Amino acid sequence: MMLKKKLVVFSTLLGLTGVLSSSISSAHAATIDITDDMPSSGSVVIEGQKIKESSSPLFVAPKKRIQTSTPWFTVSLARDVVNMKNGRWVSYTDHNNYFNHYKWAHSNFYYTLGRHHSSAKVGSGKIRTAVGIERGWSYATAKGYGTAKTWYSEN
């Protein structure tokens, strides 16, 4: 009888955790196309799914109205995909644990004109840098606790 009660409580908590994590970790993506005014390097600091800092206003999505089960609110979202004349930068976080702030930060950069790199860092952890060749991707992933920072550079 005691085992049955513990099993019911455990499965109820497990179900509740699954519902909470699926509703909390919803991601929002935005895409921007940029021509010649794209900086040769850039960075964003992401807290949850919101931009905390940006090296350029080009990386910040305009304020969006998002309908949730609560009243309407305004939030500034990271542009997950930045298309530029000679490349593409994809920057995002996932595996976000909103209880202890553990997350993975990704900075993926494609560039057609030569060597390039992308970097990612979470909290006080190590900077993870990946180098890409001409017409190739550089994939950088950092894991840790705290605020995520991602950046790219064409050289």
Side-chain angles (χ1 to χ4, degrees):
M1 184 70 165
M2 186 66 147
L3 177 63
K4 198 176 209 179
K5 285 182 183 178
K6 285 182 181 179
L7 187 60
V8 169
V9 169
F10 176 74
S11 62
T12 303
L13 288 174
L14 188 62
L16 181 60
T17 304
V19 169
L20 282 174
S21 65
S22 66
S23 64
I24 290 175
S25 65
S26 63
H28 305 280
T31 302
I32 183 173
D33 295 317
I34 300 174
T35 55
D36 295 334
D37 58 348
M38 184 68 186
S40 63
S41 64
S43 66
V44 294
V45 175
I46 304 169
E47 185 67 51
Q49 293 297 326
K50 299 177 187 174
I51 295 242
K52 188 175 179 182
E53 292 177 36
S54 173
S55 64
S56 170
L58 296 172
F59 302 134
V60 181
K63 299 285 184 179
K64 296 191 176 214
R65 303 289 280 174
I66 299 173
Q67 185 177 11
T68 64
S69 58
T70 60
W72 291 77
F73 63 94
T74 304
V75 64
S76 176
L77 300 175
R79 290 194 186 276
D80 289 334
V81 179
V82 179
N83 294 317
M84 55 194 91
K85 182 178 180 181
N86 296 309
R88 180 176 209 183
W89 182 38
V90 181
S91 171
Y92 62 97
T93 62
D94 62 0
H95 296 87
N96 292 299
N97 183 324
Y98 291 93
F99 299 110
N100 67 6
H101 302 288
Y102 181 83
K103 64 181 61 82
W104 292 15
H106 303 272
S107 179
N108 307 329
F109 185 48
Y110 176 84
Y111 189 57
T112 61
L113 300 180
R115 289 177 51 96
H116 54 279
H117 77 271
S118 56
S119 300
K121 179 181 177 179
V122 179
S124 61
K126 292 182 180 180
I127 296 173
R128 301 296 182 183
T129 299
V131 176
I133 60 172
E134 180 178 342
R135 298 188 188 281
W137 284 91
S138 58
Y139 298 99
T141 302
K143 303 172 185 177
Y145 298 90
T147 301
K149 181 175 183 178
T150 60
W151 59 98
Y152 75 93
S153 179
E154 292 178 358
N155 45 26

